């Protein structure tokens, strides 16, 4: 019945069987059935009773040295947490299963029986599939934990308070305005993962990287066939986002002809894929961003005012880092922790002179530039103790008093170039993987590779 999706009826049969087994069955039979009952309860979202049964079974199998049964129950516990969207505990349970698998593999290797050899092959295959699954869980955990806007100043707290307010009002469109590198996408992720829709997709679209002729297909999707000239059906960004969030970065780059279509779609809350006839309702929340002044966008005729009103039910302005310089320290601490884990290097002791030196800098590249600087020190100039002198390795600081604006821009581009080169080195030249590591689209990465002459 469970395999047919009839979990409710399956549970009725299982509970009836439990009454009979409680009278005549062994403890092992009772635990096996209780574990299966928990699986049905998970399907029916009866969370509390399901986890209590699984924990009882886990304790029993551990006490009675039943490794195979313990592995199975621990996997069910991981499945429970995954279904419950508690990814941290799901990952911990998956890690435990991996440890149990490794121990059992070693036991089987020490046995010379044919049955053990067959079981070993089965467990090895299972262990490989398990590792892939909990690696994916770890990526999800990392993504959600990273989606936090960092800051302790009043300006930063205003931004965070606005994000919390936006997360509470799922129906409201949000426009995030701020200079390049201030953390607009991080704030968009924070809004999404703090909302009731946190378990639905978060889809990021860089409008600057889309060809003007492809906006319709990319956003609305397309049917396959000679009419559209597309071999396979395309699912657009609106449909991919489902009931989650569609984050449109750099909306100032949306062509004027598509702005009209987008306005109509937002008015009707539906869209029609290219080459199809039936409309599809929009269920996602729209969060957009721009590094342009919204009033100037309208006055220059580059952006429609009516569309702008549709996109900014709530508007959040992120101040540049130079206007909240006290936030540099908590940002440095976060980036240092992140790169320490990533590079497996010890977390450095950071002296006041390091922060004093940073405090005198204007950060034209904002938070992104600060992150690049910390990453560059970890990769090229790492030391157990960081003082202000270590920043002499960074051109922007060594020549800060003499640099013109154009040279500062040049230096930021050089930092960006080196970051891309390092990402490509880490991923063996795989641009798609490197783009994910750099938190940018593959098309943006390709464009930068070409611009910087990276080979």
């Amino acid at each position: 019945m469970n395999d047919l999706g009839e979990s409710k009826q399956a549970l009725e049969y299982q509970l009836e069987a439990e009454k009979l087994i409680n009278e005549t069955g062994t403890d092992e039979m009772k635990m096996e059935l209780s574990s299966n009952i928990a699986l049905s309860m998970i399907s029916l979202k009866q969370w509390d009773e399901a986890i209590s049964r699984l924990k009882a079974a886990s304790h029993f199998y551990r006490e009675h040295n039943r490794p195979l049964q313990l592995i199975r129950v621990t996997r069910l516990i991981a499945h429970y947490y995954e279904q419950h969207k508690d990814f941290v505990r799901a990952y911990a349970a998956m890690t435990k299963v991996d440890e149990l698998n490794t121990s059992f593999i070693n036991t089987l290797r020490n046995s010379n029986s044919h049955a053990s050899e067959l079981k070993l092959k089965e467990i090895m295959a299972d262990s490989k599939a398990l590792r892939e699954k909990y690696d994916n869980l770890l990526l999800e955990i990392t993504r959600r934990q990273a989606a936090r806007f960092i800051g302790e100043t009043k300006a930063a707290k205003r931004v965070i308070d606005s994000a919390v307010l936006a997360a509470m009002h799922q129906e409201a469109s949000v426009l995030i305005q701020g200079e390049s590198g201030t953390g607009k996408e991080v704030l968009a992720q924070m809004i999404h993962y703090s909302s009731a829709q946190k378990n639905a997709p978060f889809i990021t679209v860089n409008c600057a990287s889309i060809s003007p002729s492809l906006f319709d297909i990319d956003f609305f999707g397309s049917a396959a066939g000679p009419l559209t000239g597309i071999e396979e059906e395309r699912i657009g960004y609106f449909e991919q986002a489902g009931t989650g969030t569609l984050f449109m970065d750099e909306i100032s780059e949306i062509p004027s002809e598509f702005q009209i279509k987008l306005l109509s779609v937002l008015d009707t809350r539906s869209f029609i894929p290219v080459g199809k006839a039936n409309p599809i309702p929009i269920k996602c929340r729209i969060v957009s961003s721009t590094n342009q002044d919204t009033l100037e966008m309208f006055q220059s005729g580059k952006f429609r005012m009516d569309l702008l009103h549709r996109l900014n039910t709530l508007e959040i302005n992120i101040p540049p880092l130079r206007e909240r310089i006290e936030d540099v320290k908590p940002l440095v601490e976060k980036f240092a922790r992140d790169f320490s884990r990533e590079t497996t290097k010890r977390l450095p002791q950071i002296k006041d002179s390091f922060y004093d030196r940073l405090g005198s800098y204007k950060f034209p590249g904002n938070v992104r530039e600060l992150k690049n600087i910390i990453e560059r020190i970890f990769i090229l100039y790492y030391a157990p103790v960081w003082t202000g002198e270590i920043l002499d390795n960074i051109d922007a600081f060594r020549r800060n008093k003499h640099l013109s604006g154009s040279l500062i821009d040049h230096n930021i581009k050089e930092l960006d170039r080196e970051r891309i080169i390092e990402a490509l080195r880490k991923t063996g030249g795989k641009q798609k993987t490197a783009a994910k590591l750099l938190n940018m689209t593959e098309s943006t990465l390709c464009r930068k590779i070409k611009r910087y002459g990276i080979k």
Side-chain angles (χ1 to χ4, degrees):
M1 299 304 297
N2 265 329
D3 289 343
L4 293 171
E6 299 290 342
S7 298
K8 187 175 180 180
Q9 194 167 349
L11 182 59
E12 291 175 4
Y13 282 118
Q14 289 169 324
L15 292 174
E16 190 65 31
E18 189 175 46
K19 292 177 185 177
L20 300 172
I21 283 183
N22 283 340
E23 296 173 4
T24 60
T26 64
D27 288 343
E28 190 116 10
M29 291 171 64
K30 292 174 185 176
M31 284 299 161
E32 180 70 16
L33 179 57
S34 184
S35 301
N36 289 327
I37 288 173
L39 187 59
S40 298
M41 288 177 168
I42 290 170
S43 300
L44 295 168
K45 294 183 170 51
Q46 295 179 13
W47 306 114
D48 293 339
E49 193 174 348
I51 194 61
S52 65
R53 284 176 176 271
L54 291 174
K55 287 182 177 178
S58 173
H59 180 73
F60 175 85
Y61 290 134
R62 190 177 293 106
E63 269 197 344
H64 292 80
N65 193 25
R66 299 286 192 273
L68 277 177
Q69 290 87 342
L70 181 58
I71 289 170
R72 177 176 177 272
V73 170
T74 310
R75 289 196 74 151
L76 287 176
I77 290 173
H79 176 67
Y80 160 85
Y81 284 127
E82 188 178 0
Q83 292 298 305
H84 203 46
K85 307 301 181 186
D86 189 342
F87 294 110
V88 174
R89 288 185 179 178
Y91 177 73
M94 286 285 195
T95 305
K96 185 64 180 175
V97 174
D98 190 49
E99 292 172 1
L100 292 168
N101 267 342
T102 302
S103 176
F104 193 58
I105 285 168
N106 291 333
T107 302
L108 291 173
R109 278 176 173 157
N110 293 329
S111 172
N112 295 319
S113 70
H114 179 64
S116 293
E117 190 176 325
L118 293 174
K119 196 66 184 175
L120 177 61
K121 290 180 180 178
E122 181 184 329
I123 293 291
M124 290 285 281
D126 181 67
S127 185
K128 182 180 178 183
L130 176 70
R131 182 164 291 278
E132 290 177 358
K133 186 169 184 179
Y134 82 61
D135 279 349
N136 289 333
L137 276 175
L138 183 58
L139 285 173
E140 182 66 22
I141 292 166
T142 303
R143 183 183 182 190
R144 292 180 179 222
Q145 289 180 339
R148 290 293 178 268
F149 188 87
I150 304 297
E152 297 174 356
T153 59
K154 288 183 179 179
K157 287 178 180 177
R158 278 197 298 271
V159 171
I160 294 168
D161 288 345
S162 298
V164 171
L165 181 65
M168 293 169 60
H169 294 83
Q170 171 67 18
E171 73 287 351
S173 297
V174 182
L175 175 62
I176 304 171
Q177 195 274 332
E179 293 180 7
S180 293
T182 49
K184 296 187 289 295
E185 184 169 357
V186 169
L187 193 68
Q189 289 180 354
M190 182 177 170
I191 291 169
H192 173 76
Y193 288 118
S194 301
S195 73
Q197 283 67 35
K198 62 184 178 182
N199 296 314
F202 177 86
I203 303 297
T204 299
V205 182
N206 187 330
C207 297
S209 67
I210 302 175
S211 170
S213 61
L214 293 178
F215 269 83
D216 286 29
I217 291 175
D218 284 356
F219 275 88
F220 305 148
S222 172
L227 185 63
T228 59
I230 295 176
E231 293 182 2
E232 294 184 359
E233 182 177 1
R234 291 272 297 274
I235 304 299
Y237 294 131
F238 279 114
E239 196 168 354
Q240 289 177 38
T243 57
T245 299
L246 178 61
F247 174 57
M248 298 192 300
D249 193 15
E250 302 305 344
I251 56 166
S252 60
E253 302 301 320
I254 297 177
S256 56
E257 58 271 20
F258 186 74
Q259 290 181 33
I260 300 170
K261 296 176 183 178
L262 184 58
L263 177 63
S264 175
V265 162
L266 296 179
D267 279 340
T268 61
R269 298 297 299 174
S270 66
F271 64 93
I272 301 175
V274 178
K276 293 188 177 182
N278 297 324
I280 297 175
I282 292 177
K283 300 177 182 178
C284 64
R285 119 103 52 95
I286 308 295
V287 178
S288 51
S289 77
T290 180
N291 59 13
Q292 306 291 318
D293 181 272
T294 52
L295 182 60
E296 288 181 5
M297 285 168 58
F298 166 65
Q299 290 177 339
S300 66
K302 191 175 182 180
F303 209 87
R304 295 178 63 95
M305 180 58 79
D306 45 7
L307 177 57
L308 202 56
H309 285 319
R310 289 278 183 234
L311 294 173
N312 72 340
T313 307
L314 292 173
E315 185 171 336
I316 304 175
N317 291 289
I318 304 179
L321 188 55
R322 62 182 174 274
E323 293 180 9
R324 52 184 187 100
I325 209 71
E326 295 86 352
D327 288 331
V328 166
K329 185 173 182 178
L331 284 165
V332 168
E333 290 172 348
K334 180 193 183 303
F335 296 147
R337 286 194 302 270
D338 291 346
F339 291 127
S340 175
R341 284 194 300 267
E342 185 180 324
T343 61
T344 66
K345 294 175 180 175
R346 195 177 74 186
L347 190 66
Q349 182 183 359
I350 304 177
K351 298 294 188 179
D352 288 343
S353 60
F354 182 84
Y355 291 116
D356 291 342
R357 192 86 180 272
L358 288 176
S360 65
Y361 185 57
K362 297 301 182 183
F363 290 102
N366 289 294
V367 177
R368 184 184 295 124
E369 183 185 6
L370 176 60
K371 184 178 181 181
N372 288 346
I373 289 167
I374 303 304
E375 183 177 20
R376 190 176 181 189
I377 294 173
F378 259 94
I379 294 170
L380 300 175
Y381 311 111
Y382 177 81
V385 178
W386 292 7
T387 65
E389 292 179 357
I390 202 170
L391 288 167
D392 286 334
N393 294 297
I394 310 297
D395 287 346
F397 286 85
R398 187 168 62 244
R399 304 173 60 190
N400 186 29
K401 293 181 180 179
H402 310 290
L403 283 172
S404 67
S406 61
L407 285 175
I408 290 175
D409 291 340
H410 171 76
N411 191 61
I412 294 169
K413 289 176 182 177
E414 186 61 28
L415 283 171
D416 198 29
R417 184 178 185 275
E418 290 185 14
R419 190 170 68 107
I420 290 170
I421 291 172
E422 180 61 21
L424 290 168
R425 186 188 64 76
K426 286 181 179 179
T427 59
K430 296 177 181 177
Q431 292 184 10
K432 187 172 184 179
T433 310
K436 288 183 179 179
L437 184 65
L438 293 164
N439 197 23
M440 64 176 66
T441 63
E442 189 176 359
S443 58
T444 300
L445 177 60
C446 291
R447 191 171 65 250
K448 289 191 173 190
I449 289 172
K450 186 176 180 181
R451 184 194 305 161
Y452 297 147
I454 298 171
K455 297 181 180 179

